[in-house]
Amino acid sequence: MPSKLLRIPTADGSADAFAAFPDRGAQHPGILMYADGFGVRPVLRDMARELAEHGYYVLVPNFFYRHGPAPVVELPAHIGEEARPAIFAEVMPLIEAHTAERAARDADAYLSFLIAQPEVSAGPFAVTGYCIGGLLAMRAAAAHPDQVAAVAAFHGPVYADGPDLFSTLTAQVHLGHAAGDVTAEALSELDQALDVAGVSYTSEIYPDTTHGFTMSDTDAFSPSGLQRHWDRLLSLLDRAMRND
């Protein structure tokens, strides 16, 4: 599985990134993958490779690049509960500094970079993300309705911007919520907002999961949750991006 370490020119500098893609000469549909709040690290690179094996070019940018190359925060090989408070104390200021305006400028750059890659087909594209990356994925899809055909967010605060975020979405959407993150009432409110906006979506609580369930390097990891995530994500991509 070929992979590359890349630099993406942005309005504010240059973002380091990782890309994985099939070992075949043809062009492949492009996917922008946003990491969770812990950033780009081995588990994200492994997930990008696994997704690439299904015929996609997967780009994983370090959206904290303004603060340095990934990993911006030093991380243990396994992020256990005892390590989380100290890590979050470092990570949260980075997340708070990554404003919606910065995220929008970066998304423009990331998608423009995808378009320019010789291994990437002309489009449409997909965007997926985890934790805060889920919100970034939704913002990118909403800002680029002519380019993004599919967007998926897993254990992400996708309603943080309120219903206005959904008004320009034309992509097909899947939202995979951790059972510990959302109540049935909150899920109903979210789904109602998506219905009002006319979004084509699936939205579900993954059973017996906590926040971060897709990440195998954390105590939150759920093997069944990760598998459900792959099932839902690959199904979404097949529906939205395959023309054969």
Side-chain angles (χ1 to χ4, degrees):
M1 179 61 59
S3 61
K4 293 180 180 179
L5 297 177
L6 302 164
R7 304 293 305 189
I8 302 176
T10 74
D12 297 330
S14 176
D16 52 303
F18 175 83
F21 48 93
D23 189 14
R24 299 190 293 274
Q27 292 182 318
H28 309 283
I31 298 177
L32 173 59
M33 176 185 284
Y34 283 104
D36 61 0
F38 295 137
V40 182
R41 56 197 192 281
V43 66
L44 266 299
R45 292 192 285 271
D46 288 346
M47 292 171 77
R49 291 187 184 98
E50 183 162 352
L51 185 53
E53 288 177 357
H54 293 273
Y56 300 100
Y57 182 107
V58 186
L59 178 68
V60 190
N62 169 27
F63 55 83
F64 292 146
Y65 69 89
R66 294 174 180 83
H67 306 277
V72 177
V73 173
E74 186 175 350
L75 299 170
H78 183 83
I79 304 170
E81 286 302 314
E82 69 285 350
R84 292 174 76 91
I87 295 172
F88 273 116
E90 294 187 75
V91 166
M92 286 309 298
L94 306 182
I95 294 175
E96 291 167 358
H98 197 63
T99 62
E101 292 76 18
R102 283 184 170 185
R105 292 197 299 271
D106 289 350
D108 292 345
Y110 301 154
L111 289 172
S112 295
F113 185 86
L114 267 178
I115 291 170
Q117 300 316 294
E119 302 93 349
V120 179
S121 57
F125 304 113
V127 190
T128 186
Y130 305 88
C131 181
I132 188 62
L135 176 59
L136 299 179
M138 293 289 284
R139 287 173 174 171
H144 298 272
D146 56 332
Q147 292 177 291
V148 178
V151 57
F154 301 93
H155 48 83
V158 295
Y159 206 38
D161 294 347
D164 289 347
L165 177 64
F166 308 144
S167 62
T168 58
L169 273 176
T170 59
Q172 295 185 47
V173 175
H174 175 71
L175 304 177
H177 311 283
D181 279 352
V182 61
T183 65
E185 294 76 14
L187 181 62
S188 177
E189 180 182 353
L190 170 62
D191 290 353
Q192 184 176 9
L194 290 163
D195 288 335
V196 169
V199 176
S200 174
Y201 72 95
T202 56
S203 175
E204 62 180 309
I205 296 174
Y206 286 23
D208 303 316
T209 57
T210 59
H211 183 75
F213 63 83
T214 57
M215 298 295 144
S216 62
D217 63 348
T218 74
D219 281 355
F221 178 55
S222 164
S224 62
L226 178 63
Q227 186 56 55
R228 182 184 290 253
H229 142 278
W230 284 125
D231 293 344
R232 300 298 192 266
L233 177 57
L234 293 171
S235 177
L236 170 70
L237 297 175
D238 282 342
R239 292 195 307 272
M241 300 180 69
R242 300 294 192 186
N243 297 316
D244 49 21

